[in-house]
Amino acid sequence: MKAKKGAVSTRRKKGLVLSLLNMRYHEEDVYLVLEIKNKSGIDFKIDYLDVYCVNGNNRRKASYQRLKQEVLYKYQMPNIIVDKHSERFVYVCQNLYLEIMKDL
């Protein structure tokens, strides 16, 4: 099976580019492969990075839901992104569907 080229989702802000490159499910966990590119002109120190699961349409507030995901493990998470460089790392989160079913 060939992997798709390019990012699943990308966000840009002030010279920083955060991309979700891949998302894999394994048993109860979700593995998120992320990449941060720094094009800001200065070194960037990462304080924290939160993961949210969003359901619905943010234009229609009645159906919009933003749930913070607990990060179980961080693999090769960088502390500093040097200017004109990029770093890839993996976040492991619990599967959202299993969390919802547990509450019922």
Side-chain angles (χ1 to χ4, degrees):
M1 180 195 270
K2 289 186 176 181
K4 287 193 280 184
K5 298 221 176 191
V8 175
S9 180
T10 301
R11 295 286 182 242
R12 294 173 177 84
K13 193 168 191 176
K14 297 183 181 181
L16 295 172
V17 180
L18 175 64
S19 300
L20 174 63
L21 299 178
N22 204 344
M23 201 164 76
R24 293 282 183 217
Y25 295 92
H26 179 65
E27 295 176 4
E28 304 176 346
D29 300 327
V30 179
Y31 292 78
L32 306 172
V33 180
L34 301 162
E35 180 179 45
I36 296 180
K37 293 180 184 177
N38 185 358
K39 300 177 182 180
S40 66
I42 59 171
D43 294 348
F44 181 74
K45 183 177 179 184
I46 299 174
D47 188 22
Y48 64 92
L49 180 64
D50 291 332
V51 178
Y52 291 90
C53 182
V54 177
N55 292 320
N57 185 348
N58 66 354
R59 294 176 193 216
R60 187 175 172 185
K61 298 294 183 188
S63 65
Y64 184 75
Q65 218 178 15
R66 184 176 166 195
L67 304 171
K68 185 175 178 182
Q69 292 292 104
E70 179 185 349
V71 177
L72 302 175
Y73 183 72
K74 300 174 187 177
Y75 177 72
Q76 293 185 345
M77 174 70 176
N79 292 327
I80 296 177
I81 308 291
V82 182
D83 182 35
K84 296 190 178 36
H85 284 82
S86 65
E87 295 284 340
R88 285 188 183 183
F89 54 97
V90 177
Y91 265 29
V92 180
C93 301
Q94 188 173 5
N95 193 341
L96 178 66
Y97 179 74
L98 294 175
E99 286 182 25
I100 292 171
M101 294 304 291
K102 184 172 48 174
D103 291 340
L104 293 178

